[in-house]
Amino acid sequence: MRALTWAYMAALYAFIFLPVAVLVTFSFQDGRLPVPPLQGVSLRWYETVLSDRNLMAALGNSLLVAVVSSTAALFLGFLAAHALARVRLPGSVLMRGLLIAPMTVSYLIIALGLLTVFNQTGIRLSLWTAGIGHVVINLPLCFAITYAAMGDQQRSAERAARDLGASDWQVLAHVSAPMLAPALAAAFFLSVTFSWDEFIIAFLLTRFDVTLPVEIWSMLRSGLSPATNAIGSLVFLVSVSLVIALELTIFRRAR
């Protein structure tokens, strides 16, 4: 039974990480196509990617959209979760359902709806409109994670702070947010990850300044290239480094 358990775990991890291993391996391909056999090892595709101005601009755009939209989604989601968890409002169950509803809607439908709204109101498509779309899809996630983390311990601390003369904003900033820091950090970085990888909304709601997934899609239209493997490997390296750094700092400290 123990051997079967280990075999299942090995198969599970292989299923998850084998595509990543193939991606990274063929990013070092010396040939012009990222397909077997491996024709020597070379770093020229990494040099090509890092010297490509369009890719670097798209990378910066993705970082900007991900960080700004995730910050806005976290702020709005935190305020909504705190209000619905601490104040009894008529129809609060319906409000929670409406806030979480975008998680069940296709990104394509959301993108088309926002595109119609922007066209009708005369708002020009840009990175800001893509950021608004990412706030729409990430706000329910931030709300759900923050709402689930709120408990009686935070409620008691907030009451004590109010009894000592703290205002509502001081309670939020100095009591609620610090006590919910692990949940807020998790919500923020999950939002950054979803925004970073999102393609449909970014594709439909941008024009000239595009994000990294849209730029990679443009590269793939001209055929396969180890350059796409190289940029994917770099993005994976940054993501893994970020997760390890969070595990060694914020989440370990919280435990």
Side-chain angles (χ1 to χ4, degrees):
M1 186 66 181
R2 191 179 186 88
L4 183 61
T5 302
W6 281 104
Y8 173 76
M9 289 183 59
L12 181 65
Y13 278 105
F15 178 79
I16 295 173
F17 290 107
L18 185 59
V20 177
V22 173
L23 173 79
V24 175
T25 299
F26 285 98
S27 68
F28 298 101
Q29 173 77 287
D30 193 36
R32 298 189 61 83
L33 292 175
V35 294
L38 187 64
Q39 301 173 4
V41 177
S42 174
L43 294 175
R44 67 175 180 137
W45 297 110
Y46 286 91
E47 180 181 359
T48 300
V49 165
L50 294 175
S51 60
D52 190 318
R53 293 185 176 180
N54 291 332
L55 271 176
M56 291 300 101
L59 178 64
N61 293 338
S62 287
L63 281 174
L64 176 64
V65 171
V67 172
V68 173
S69 65
S70 298
T71 301
L74 180 65
F75 180 73
L76 297 174
F78 169 65
L79 293 182
H82 190 275
L84 291 176
R86 299 292 183 257
V87 181
R88 293 184 178 180
L89 298 173
S92 59
V93 175
L94 177 61
M95 293 180 188
R96 291 199 300 268
L98 291 176
L99 281 170
I100 299 176
M103 297 179 67
T104 65
V105 180
S106 167
Y107 285 3
L108 178 60
I109 302 301
I110 293 175
L112 290 175
L114 288 172
L115 181 61
T116 302
V117 171
F118 293 144
N119 287 335
Q120 291 295 326
T121 55
I123 298 176
R124 298 179 60 184
L125 300 182
S126 64
L127 292 177
W128 291 106
T129 54
I132 292 172
H134 288 178
V135 170
V136 171
I137 63 174
N138 285 328
L139 194 154
L141 175 69
C142 294
F143 168 80
I145 293 175
T146 307
Y147 187 86
M150 290 184 172
D152 293 334
Q153 183 179 2
Q154 288 87 1
R155 186 190 299 272
S156 299
E158 291 168 2
R159 287 177 178 174
R162 289 191 179 92
D163 290 340
L164 293 173
S167 65
D168 289 339
W169 284 107
Q170 287 174 327
V171 171
L172 286 174
H174 300 294
V175 179
S176 302
M179 295 185 72
L180 293 169
L184 295 177
F188 176 77
F189 287 107
L190 278 175
S191 297
V192 169
T193 301
F194 290 158
S195 177
W196 178 268
D197 293 336
E198 200 283 323
F199 169 75
I200 296 176
I201 292 176
F203 177 72
L204 291 177
L205 299 183
T206 56
R207 279 296 177 262
F208 302 108
D209 295 326
V210 298
T211 60
L212 187 61
V214 178
E215 184 65 26
I216 293 175
W217 177 80
S218 299
M219 293 173 60
L220 290 174
R221 293 181 65 189
S222 59
L224 294 175
S225 170
T228 55
N229 291 53
I231 187 63
S233 300
L234 291 174
V235 171
F236 178 74
L237 176 62
V238 172
S239 301
V240 170
S241 301
L242 182 61
V243 170
I244 293 174
L246 288 172
E247 181 63 30
L248 294 177
T249 54
I250 296 176
F251 298 138
R252 175 172 294 184
R253 188 184 309 163
R255 286 196 298 267

